[in-house]
Amino acid sequence: WDFLILFFCLPVVIFNEITKKRLLGDMSCRIVPFMEVSSLGVTTFSLCALGIDRFHAATSPQASTRPIEQCQSIIAKLAVIWVGSMTLSVPEILLWQLAQDTSPVSGVVTEYCTMKPSSNLPESIYSLVLTYQNARMWWYFGCYFCLPILFTVSCQLVTRRIRGTEKKSECRGTKHGQCESHLNCTIIALTIIYGLCTTPENVCNIVVAYMSPDMSKQTLDLLNLINQFFLFFKCSVTPVLLLCLCRPLGQAFMDCCCCCCEGCGPDTTSSESSADSKLKTEMSSSIFFDKPRETPPPLLALGTPC
């Protein structure tokens, strides 16, 4: 989802800031906020799922021999996270719409997105969207900021409490203990990056909610642009951080990249020639010996010591 944000939403936002025209028109005003809020939901619920997984790993009676999770279970969790995040973001599609403003000085028509439900919606849906708009600030703060941070911190504290000093002393220095601590550090790092990148947006939302009549449209647009670029920064840093900290995932990613590039893969001709030469050497040695020697024969000292 981070890649979708960078490859779709980032070009649309940059194009809008340069040309003052909305790329794809009214559709971009609805799709971009929908994808951005869905990105927050995917990250939030993914951090919660990772915290639960670390808790189960710590409380498992046989943590070192815990079986690998089935692919169907992982796909089911991913489906719940993605479908749930997109479902909670559906009101964003109905909340935003395209508007135009004409400059009184230059007469240039600029297009911008405004948070205003369409009056053509059915009355029941219109009331729900209006309720969502009024509660949007606190919904952002509670669900997409407090929930992942508190959930991750709580899971980490409970995990450390359950392990205790005795279990830590047993796992200390072992490969399994190092792997568990490395995964916990990865989740903590992801949570810190997420918290730092979403804090400005939540602060701006609270400030704008109480001071919006005293702020100009240019200031509000600038704050909105800063919040979007913090989201883009989070989406660009999170995959890199995950690939660097999670070594198995990073190695698998590099192997996939090398499979796509012919230059990174091993030279098949050289490997085949080396295999053929090795086979010929073994066949030539079998002419003189009934079975190949495990160690090379001692060399005779010929010539002078020089």
Side-chain angles (χ1 to χ4, degrees):
W1 201 269
D2 290 334
F3 284 117
L4 290 177
I5 292 292
L6 293 176
F7 290 139
F8 179 78
C9 297
L10 181 59
V12 171
V13 173
I14 294 178
F15 181 85
N16 178 49
E17 291 301 318
I18 294 176
T19 63
K20 300 302 179 182
K21 299 290 183 181
R22 294 300 302 186
L23 188 65
L24 301 178
D26 185 69
M27 183 182 297
S28 66
C29 286
R30 301 176 186 273
I31 296 299
V32 171
F34 168 76
M35 294 186 64
E36 291 177 349
V37 177
S38 297
S39 174
L40 297 178
V42 169
T43 307
T44 296
F45 300 134
S46 297
L47 290 175
C48 294
L50 291 173
I52 295 174
D53 180 75
R54 292 297 89 212
F55 176 77
H56 286 169
T59 57
S60 178
Q62 296 178 350
S64 58
T65 60
R66 195 163 63 105
I68 299 176
E69 190 174 0
Q70 296 294 329
C71 183
Q72 292 81 359
S73 176
I74 298 176
I75 293 176
K77 291 180 180 179
L78 292 177
V80 170
I81 291 173
W82 280 47
V83 174
S85 302
M86 290 187 290
T87 302
L88 292 176
S89 305
V90 168
E92 295 289 332
I93 299 178
L94 306 175
L95 181 62
W96 294 86
Q97 61 178 335
L98 183 66
Q100 294 181 349
D101 187 16
T102 304
S103 176
V105 178
S106 60
V108 178
V109 178
T110 59
E111 297 178 348
Y112 63 95
C113 296
T114 180
M115 190 185 300
K116 182 180 179 182
S118 177
S119 58
N120 298 327
L121 295 173
E123 185 177 355
S124 58
I125 298 179
Y126 181 82
S127 61
L128 290 176
V129 175
L130 198 61
T131 304
Y132 173 80
Q133 181 182 1
N134 296 329
R136 185 173 183 269
M137 176 188 64
W138 297 112
W139 170 254
Y140 256 65
F141 181 74
C143 181
Y144 297 136
F145 181 76
C146 295
L147 179 63
I149 294 178
L150 294 178
F151 204 94
T152 303
V153 172
S154 301
C155 288
Q156 292 295 325
L157 292 178
V158 172
T159 299
R160 292 176 182 271
R161 179 71 177 176
I162 290 178
R163 282 183 176 179
T165 56
E166 296 181 358
K167 196 169 183 179
K168 284 185 179 179
S169 60
E170 293 177 359
C171 297
R172 187 176 300 169
T174 62
K175 186 176 180 180
H176 175 71
Q178 294 176 359
C179 180
E180 291 295 325
S181 61
H182 193 76
L183 290 174
N184 289 332
C185 293
T186 302
I187 297 175
I188 293 175
L190 293 175
T191 306
I192 291 175
I193 292 295
Y194 178 75
L196 292 177
C197 293
T198 53
T199 297
E201 182 176 6
N202 288 277
V203 173
C204 290
N205 290 337
I206 296 175
V207 171
V208 169
Y210 294 100
M211 299 181 60
S212 58
D214 301 332
M215 302 177 68
S216 62
K217 182 179 179 299
Q218 289 77 11
T219 304
L220 295 176
D221 293 340
L222 180 61
L223 292 177
N224 187 29
L225 183 63
I226 293 174
N227 295 333
Q228 283 184 318
F229 274 96
F230 268 107
L231 177 62
F232 297 148
F233 177 77
K234 189 269 298 182
C235 293
S236 60
V237 169
T238 300
V240 177
L241 181 66
L242 190 60
L243 292 175
C244 293
L245 293 181
C246 189
R247 296 175 183 176
L249 182 61
Q251 185 61 39
F253 181 78
M254 294 302 298
D255 292 342
C256 291
C257 292
C258 290
C259 290
C260 297
C261 302
E262 296 179 359
C264 296
D267 191 359
T268 55
T269 57
S270 60
S271 60
E272 290 177 358
S273 60
S274 61
D276 293 340
S277 61
K278 184 178 180 181
L279 180 61
K280 291 179 180 179
T281 304
E282 292 179 357
M283 291 178 63
S284 61
S285 62
S286 65
I287 299 175
F288 301 98
F289 305 100
D290 294 335
K291 58 181 180 179
R293 297 177 181 268
E294 296 180 355
T295 57
L299 298 177
L300 298 178
L302 301 177
T304 61
C306 296

mmCIF file of all heavy atoms in Angstrom, residues 20-55:
data_model
loop_
_atom_site.group_PDB
_atom_site.id
_atom_site.type_symbol
_atom_site.label_atom_id
_atom_site.label_comp_id
_atom_site.label_asym_id
_atom_site.label_seq_id
_atom_site.Cartn_x
_atom_site.Cartn_y
_atom_site.Cartn_z
ATOM 1 N N LYS A 20 -1.849 23.893 -10.598
ATOM 2 C CA LYS A 20 -3.099 24.344 -9.969
ATOM 3 C C LYS A 20 -4.326 23.731 -10.646
ATOM 4 O O LYS A 20 -5.414 24.293 -10.598
ATOM 5 C CB LYS A 20 -3.205 25.872 -10.003
ATOM 6 C CG LYS A 20 -2.069 26.578 -9.276
ATOM 7 C CD LYS A 20 -1.986 26.148 -7.827
ATOM 8 C CE LYS A 20 -0.835 26.825 -7.116
ATOM 9 N NZ LYS A 20 -0.708 26.389 -5.696
ATOM 10 N N LYS A 21 -4.144 22.592 -11.284
ATOM 11 C CA LYS A 21 -5.223 21.829 -11.897
ATOM 12 C C LYS A 21 -5.208 20.425 -11.305
ATOM 13 O O LYS A 21 -4.145 19.844 -11.076
ATOM 14 C CB LYS A 21 -5.064 21.761 -13.422
ATOM 15 C CG LYS A 21 -5.091 23.105 -14.127
ATOM 16 C CD LYS A 21 -6.480 23.726 -14.090
ATOM 17 C CE LYS A 21 -6.523 25.038 -14.856
ATOM 18 N NZ LYS A 21 -7.863 25.672 -14.818
ATOM 19 N N ARG A 22 -6.376 19.879 -11.085
ATOM 20 C CA ARG A 22 -6.488 18.546 -10.518
ATOM 21 C C ARG A 22 -6.380 17.510 -11.613
ATOM 22 O O ARG A 22 -7.171 17.493 -12.558
ATOM 23 C CB ARG A 22 -7.815 18.382 -9.787
ATOM 24 C CG ARG A 22 -7.990 19.243 -8.562
ATOM 25 C CD ARG A 22 -6.968 19.009 -7.498
ATOM 26 N NE ARG A 22 -6.919 17.633 -7.019
ATOM 27 C CZ ARG A 22 -6.174 17.231 -5.999
ATOM 28 N NH1 ARG A 22 -5.395 18.086 -5.378
ATOM 29 N NH2 ARG A 22 -6.194 15.992 -5.618
ATOM 30 N N LEU A 23 -5.364 16.676 -11.521
ATOM 31 C CA LEU A 23 -5.220 15.561 -12.444
ATOM 32 C C LEU A 23 -6.343 14.550 -12.195
ATOM 33 O O LEU A 23 -6.604 14.180 -11.052
ATOM 34 C CB LEU A 23 -3.852 14.900 -12.256
ATOM 35 C CG LEU A 23 -3.445 13.832 -13.262
ATOM 36 C CD1 LEU A 23 -3.284 14.447 -14.648
ATOM 37 C CD2 LEU A 23 -2.134 13.161 -12.840
ATOM 38 N N LEU A 24 -7.030 14.148 -13.240
ATOM 39 C CA LEU A 24 -8.188 13.246 -13.193
ATOM 40 C C LEU A 24 -9.428 13.919 -12.593
ATOM 41 O O LEU A 24 -10.433 13.247 -12.361
ATOM 42 C CB LEU A 24 -7.883 11.971 -12.408
ATOM 43 C CG LEU A 24 -6.721 11.114 -12.930
ATOM 44 C CD1 LEU A 24 -6.513 9.916 -12.031
ATOM 45 C CD2 LEU A 24 -6.943 10.685 -14.357
ATOM 46 N N GLY A 25 -9.355 15.232 -12.365
ATOM 47 C CA GLY A 25 -10.533 15.977 -11.954
ATOM 48 C C GLY A 25 -11.097 15.571 -10.608
ATOM 49 O O GLY A 25 -10.372 15.381 -9.625
ATOM 50 N N ASP A 26 -12.410 15.434 -10.568
ATOM 51 C CA ASP A 26 -13.107 15.136 -9.314
ATOM 52 C C ASP A 26 -12.739 13.757 -8.768
ATOM 53 O O ASP A 26 -12.786 13.534 -7.556
ATOM 54 C CB ASP A 26 -14.614 15.226 -9.553
ATOM 55 C CG ASP A 26 -15.403 15.054 -8.262
ATOM 56 O OD1 ASP A 26 -15.346 15.938 -7.398
ATOM 57 O OD2 ASP A 26 -16.073 14.010 -8.123
ATOM 58 N N MET A 27 -12.324 12.852 -9.655
ATOM 59 C CA MET A 27 -11.963 11.501 -9.198
ATOM 60 C C MET A 27 -10.752 11.537 -8.279
ATOM 61 O O MET A 27 -10.690 10.826 -7.265
ATOM 62 C CB MET A 27 -11.695 10.592 -10.402
ATOM 63 C CG MET A 27 -11.374 9.155 -10.037
ATOM 64 S SD MET A 27 -11.025 8.139 -11.483
ATOM 65 C CE MET A 27 -12.606 8.237 -12.332
ATOM 66 N N SER A 28 -9.759 12.370 -8.625
ATOM 67 C CA SER A 28 -8.563 12.440 -7.788
ATOM 68 C C SER A 28 -8.873 13.040 -6.428
ATOM 69 O O SER A 28 -8.251 12.681 -5.421
ATOM 70 C CB SER A 28 -7.481 13.253 -8.488
ATOM 71 O OG SER A 28 -7.876 14.603 -8.632
ATOM 72 N N CYS A 29 -9.844 13.965 -6.370
ATOM 73 C CA CYS A 29 -10.232 14.539 -5.076
ATOM 74 C C CYS A 29 -10.831 13.494 -4.147
ATOM 75 O O CYS A 29 -10.794 13.667 -2.917
ATOM 76 C CB CYS A 29 -11.231 15.669 -5.295
ATOM 77 S SG CYS A 29 -10.510 17.182 -5.949
ATOM 78 N N ARG A 30 -11.397 12.458 -4.703
ATOM 79 C CA ARG A 30 -12.015 11.416 -3.879
ATOM 80 C C ARG A 30 -11.072 10.230 -3.653
ATOM 81 O O ARG A 30 -11.039 9.658 -2.558
ATOM 82 C CB ARG A 30 -13.308 10.931 -4.543
ATOM 83 C CG ARG A 30 -14.335 12.045 -4.761
ATOM 84 C CD ARG A 30 -15.567 11.531 -5.507
ATOM 85 N NE ARG A 30 -16.480 12.618 -5.839
ATOM 86 C CZ ARG A 30 -17.428 13.071 -5.031
ATOM 87 N NH1 ARG A 30 -17.590 12.518 -3.833
ATOM 88 N NH2 ARG A 30 -18.219 14.056 -5.411
ATOM 89 N N ILE A 31 -10.290 9.859 -4.686
ATOM 90 C CA ILE A 31 -9.452 8.665 -4.579
ATOM 91 C C ILE A 31 -8.226 8.919 -3.710
ATOM 92 O O ILE A 31 -7.824 8.065 -2.908
ATOM 93 C CB ILE A 31 -9.040 8.187 -5.982
ATOM 94 C CG1 ILE A 31 -10.275 7.765 -6.776
ATOM 95 C CG2 ILE A 31 -8.069 7.012 -5.876
ATOM 96 C CD1 ILE A 31 -11.056 6.639 -6.167
ATOM 97 N N VAL A 32 -7.592 10.097 -3.854
ATOM 98 C CA VAL A 32 -6.371 10.376 -3.089
ATOM 99 C C VAL A 32 -6.633 10.365 -1.581
ATOM 100 O O VAL A 32 -5.911 9.688 -0.835
ATOM 101 C CB VAL A 32 -5.745 11.705 -3.561
ATOM 102 C CG1 VAL A 32 -4.611 12.120 -2.627
ATOM 103 C CG2 VAL A 32 -5.210 11.568 -4.980
ATOM 104 N N PRO A 33 -7.641 11.083 -1.044
ATOM 105 C CA PRO A 33 -7.896 10.960 0.403
ATOM 106 C C PRO A 33 -8.289 9.551 0.825
ATOM 107 O O PRO A 33 -7.922 9.106 1.923
ATOM 108 C CB PRO A 33 -9.050 11.947 0.640
ATOM 109 C CG PRO A 33 -8.981 12.905 -0.486
ATOM 110 C CD PRO A 33 -8.508 12.106 -1.653
ATOM 111 N N PHE A 34 -9.019 8.852 -0.047
ATOM 112 C CA PHE A 34 -9.398 7.473 0.284
ATOM 113 C C PHE A 34 -8.158 6.596 0.440
ATOM 114 O O PHE A 34 -8.049 5.811 1.399
ATOM 115 C CB PHE A 34 -10.313 6.921 -0.810
ATOM 116 C CG PHE A 34 -10.543 5.440 -0.732
ATOM 117 C CD1 PHE A 34 -11.400 4.913 0.216
ATOM 118 C CD2 PHE A 34 -9.901 4.578 -1.600
ATOM 119 C CE1 PHE A 34 -11.619 3.540 0.301
ATOM 120 C CE2 PHE A 34 -10.107 3.215 -1.530
ATOM 121 C CZ PHE A 34 -10.969 2.691 -0.569
ATOM 122 N N MET A 35 -7.194 6.713 -0.480
ATOM 123 C CA MET A 35 -5.988 5.893 -0.400
ATOM 124 C C MET A 35 -5.110 6.306 0.768
ATOM 125 O O MET A 35 -4.481 5.457 1.415
ATOM 126 C CB MET A 35 -5.221 5.987 -1.718
ATOM 127 C CG MET A 35 -5.945 5.384 -2.909
ATOM 128 S SD MET A 35 -4.935 5.376 -4.400
ATOM 129 C CE MET A 35 -3.624 4.270 -3.909
ATOM 130 N N GLU A 36 -5.058 7.600 1.071
ATOM 131 C CA GLU A 36 -4.229 8.053 2.187
ATOM 132 C C GLU A 36 -4.788 7.574 3.523
ATOM 133 O O GLU A 36 -4.032 7.106 4.389
ATOM 134 C CB GLU A 36 -4.137 9.577 2.157
ATOM 135 C CG GLU A 36 -3.325 10.111 0.992
ATOM 136 C CD GLU A 36 -3.314 11.626 0.935
ATOM 137 O OE1 GLU A 36 -4.108 12.253 1.685
ATOM 138 O OE2 GLU A 36 -2.539 12.190 0.148
ATOM 139 N N VAL A 37 -6.085 7.658 3.706
ATOM 140 C CA VAL A 37 -6.686 7.176 4.958
ATOM 141 C C VAL A 37 -6.598 5.652 5.026
ATOM 142 O O VAL A 37 -6.381 5.077 6.108
ATOM 143 C CB VAL A 37 -8.143 7.665 5.075
ATOM 144 C CG1 VAL A 37 -8.801 7.105 6.327
ATOM 145 C CG2 VAL A 37 -8.184 9.182 5.107
ATOM 146 N N SER A 38 -6.747 4.984 3.892
ATOM 147 C CA SER A 38 -6.574 3.524 3.878
ATOM 148 C C SER A 38 -5.157 3.140 4.258
ATOM 149 O O SER A 38 -4.935 2.122 4.930
ATOM 150 C CB SER A 38 -6.913 2.969 2.498
ATOM 151 O OG SER A 38 -8.271 3.199 2.171
ATOM 152 N N SER A 39 -4.173 3.945 3.830
ATOM 153 C CA SER A 39 -2.787 3.676 4.215
ATOM 154 C C SER A 39 -2.596 3.761 5.721
ATOM 155 O O SER A 39 -1.900 2.934 6.321
ATOM 156 C CB SER A 39 -1.857 4.672 3.507
ATOM 157 O OG SER A 39 -0.534 4.528 3.964
ATOM 158 N N LEU A 40 -3.229 4.750 6.348
ATOM 159 C CA LEU A 40 -3.161 4.852 7.812
ATOM 160 C C LEU A 40 -3.807 3.640 8.469
ATOM 161 O O LEU A 40 -3.300 3.111 9.467
ATOM 162 C CB LEU A 40 -3.846 6.133 8.274
ATOM 163 C CG LEU A 40 -3.239 7.459 7.800
ATOM 164 C CD1 LEU A 40 -4.078 8.629 8.303
ATOM 165 C CD2 LEU A 40 -1.805 7.600 8.254
ATOM 166 N N GLY A 41 -4.931 3.189 7.907
ATOM 167 C CA GLY A 41 -5.592 2.020 8.476
ATOM 168 C C GLY A 41 -4.784 0.749 8.310
ATOM 169 O O GLY A 41 -4.689 -0.061 9.241
ATOM 170 N N VAL A 42 -4.174 0.569 7.145
ATOM 171 C CA VAL A 42 -3.350 -0.621 6.916
ATOM 172 C C VAL A 42 -2.173 -0.652 7.885
ATOM 173 O O VAL A 42 -1.850 -1.690 8.469
ATOM 174 C CB VAL A 42 -2.875 -0.656 5.447
ATOM 175 C CG1 VAL A 42 -1.799 -1.717 5.260
ATOM 176 C CG2 VAL A 42 -4.047 -0.944 4.521
ATOM 177 N N THR A 43 -1.512 0.497 8.065
ATOM 178 C CA THR A 43 -0.382 0.551 8.995
ATOM 179 C C THR A 43 -0.838 0.313 10.427
ATOM 180 O O THR A 43 -0.184 -0.409 11.192
ATOM 181 C CB THR A 43 0.317 1.904 8.886
ATOM 182 O OG1 THR A 43 0.663 2.157 7.517
ATOM 183 C CG2 THR A 43 1.582 1.922 9.715
ATOM 184 N N THR A 44 -1.967 0.910 10.804
ATOM 185 C CA THR A 44 -2.466 0.758 12.174
ATOM 186 C C THR A 44 -2.779 -0.695 12.492
ATOM 187 O O THR A 44 -2.294 -1.252 13.493
ATOM 188 C CB THR A 44 -3.725 1.619 12.358
ATOM 189 O OG1 THR A 44 -3.385 2.993 12.218
ATOM 190 C CG2 THR A 44 -4.342 1.385 13.723
ATOM 191 N N PHE A 45 -3.566 -1.338 11.652
ATOM 192 C CA PHE A 45 -3.974 -2.712 11.933
ATOM 193 C C PHE A 45 -2.822 -3.702 11.728
ATOM 194 O O PHE A 45 -2.797 -4.765 12.355
ATOM 195 C CB PHE A 45 -5.170 -3.075 11.069
ATOM 196 C CG PHE A 45 -6.367 -2.191 11.295
ATOM 197 C CD1 PHE A 45 -7.084 -1.655 10.244
ATOM 198 C CD2 PHE A 45 -6.766 -1.869 12.585
ATOM 199 C CE1 PHE A 45 -8.175 -0.817 10.459
ATOM 200 C CE2 PHE A 45 -7.855 -1.039 12.822
ATOM 201 C CZ PHE A 45 -8.558 -0.509 11.749
ATOM 202 N N SER A 46 -1.875 -3.372 10.866
ATOM 203 C CA SER A 46 -0.699 -4.232 10.709
ATOM 204 C C SER A 46 0.161 -4.202 11.968
ATOM 205 O O SER A 46 0.661 -5.243 12.418
ATOM 206 C CB SER A 46 0.128 -3.796 9.498
ATOM 207 O OG SER A 46 -0.618 -3.945 8.309
ATOM 208 N N LEU A 47 0.345 -3.012 12.550
ATOM 209 C CA LEU A 47 1.104 -2.923 13.801
ATOM 210 C C LEU A 47 0.395 -3.665 14.927
ATOM 211 O O LEU A 47 1.047 -4.311 15.763
ATOM 212 C CB LEU A 47 1.317 -1.453 14.169
ATOM 213 C CG LEU A 47 2.286 -0.658 13.286
ATOM 214 C CD1 LEU A 47 2.297 0.807 13.701
ATOM 215 C CD2 LEU A 47 3.689 -1.238 13.357
ATOM 216 N N CYS A 48 -0.922 -3.589 14.956
ATOM 217 C CA CYS A 48 -1.667 -4.340 15.969
ATOM 218 C C CYS A 48 -1.506 -5.846 15.773
ATOM 219 O O CYS A 48 -1.305 -6.593 16.739
ATOM 220 C CB CYS A 48 -3.145 -3.956 15.932
ATOM 221 S SG CYS A 48 -3.497 -2.254 16.409
ATOM 222 N N ALA A 49 -1.571 -6.300 14.517
ATOM 223 C CA ALA A 49 -1.401 -7.734 14.242
ATOM 224 C C ALA A 49 0.010 -8.197 14.581
ATOM 225 O O ALA A 49 0.205 -9.298 15.122
ATOM 226 C CB ALA A 49 -1.717 -8.009 12.767
ATOM 227 N N LEU A 50 1.006 -7.365 14.278
ATOM 228 C CA LEU A 50 2.389 -7.728 14.618
ATOM 229 C C LEU A 50 2.587 -7.768 16.128
ATOM 230 O O LEU A 50 3.323 -8.616 16.646
ATOM 231 C CB LEU A 50 3.358 -6.728 13.987
ATOM 232 C CG LEU A 50 3.471 -6.782 12.461
ATOM 233 C CD1 LEU A 50 4.330 -5.632 11.952
ATOM 234 C CD2 LEU A 50 4.052 -8.106 12.004
ATOM 235 N N GLY A 51 1.939 -6.849 16.856
ATOM 236 C CA GLY A 51 2.032 -6.893 18.311
ATOM 237 C C GLY A 51 1.412 -8.156 18.891
ATOM 238 O O GLY A 51 1.968 -8.760 19.820
ATOM 239 N N ILE A 52 0.276 -8.577 18.341
ATOM 240 C CA ILE A 52 -0.344 -9.831 18.793
ATOM 241 C C ILE A 52 0.550 -11.030 18.477
ATOM 242 O O ILE A 52 0.694 -11.961 19.280
ATOM 243 C CB ILE A 52 -1.726 -9.994 18.142
ATOM 244 C CG1 ILE A 52 -2.675 -8.897 18.635
ATOM 245 C CG2 ILE A 52 -2.320 -11.361 18.439
ATOM 246 C CD1 ILE A 52 -4.018 -8.899 17.941
ATOM 247 N N ASP A 53 1.179 -11.005 17.316
ATOM 248 C CA ASP A 53 2.074 -12.105 16.941
ATOM 249 C C ASP A 53 3.264 -12.194 17.885
ATOM 250 O O ASP A 53 3.667 -13.290 18.292
ATOM 251 C CB ASP A 53 2.555 -11.896 15.508
ATOM 252 C CG ASP A 53 3.483 -13.006 15.051
ATOM 253 O OD1 ASP A 53 2.995 -14.117 14.765
ATOM 254 O OD2 ASP A 53 4.709 -12.770 14.991
ATOM 255 N N ARG A 54 3.843 -11.058 18.273
ATOM 256 C CA ARG A 54 4.967 -11.071 19.215
ATOM 257 C C ARG A 54 4.503 -11.538 20.590
ATOM 258 O O ARG A 54 5.257 -12.221 21.304
ATOM 259 C CB ARG A 54 5.568 -9.664 19.321
ATOM 260 C CG ARG A 54 6.275 -9.160 18.087
ATOM 261 C CD ARG A 54 7.481 -9.992 17.732
ATOM 262 N NE ARG A 54 7.138 -11.105 16.855
ATOM 263 C CZ ARG A 54 7.751 -12.268 16.846
ATOM 264 N NH1 ARG A 54 8.713 -12.521 17.690
ATOM 265 N NH2 ARG A 54 7.400 -13.206 16.001
ATOM 266 N N PHE A 55 3.278 -11.198 20.970
ATOM 267 C CA PHE A 55 2.750 -11.644 22.254
ATOM 268 C C PHE A 55 2.576 -13.166 22.261
ATOM 269 O O PHE A 55 2.930 -13.835 23.230
ATOM 270 C CB PHE A 55 1.424 -10.949 22.532
ATOM 271 C CG PHE A 55 0.754 -11.410 23.798
ATOM 272 C CD1 PHE A 55 1.190 -10.981 25.033
ATOM 273 C CD2 PHE A 55 -0.326 -12.288 23.740
ATOM 274 C CE1 PHE A 55 0.570 -11.404 26.191
ATOM 275 C CE2 PHE A 55 -0.943 -12.718 24.891
ATOM 276 C CZ PHE A 55 -0.498 -12.269 26.126
#
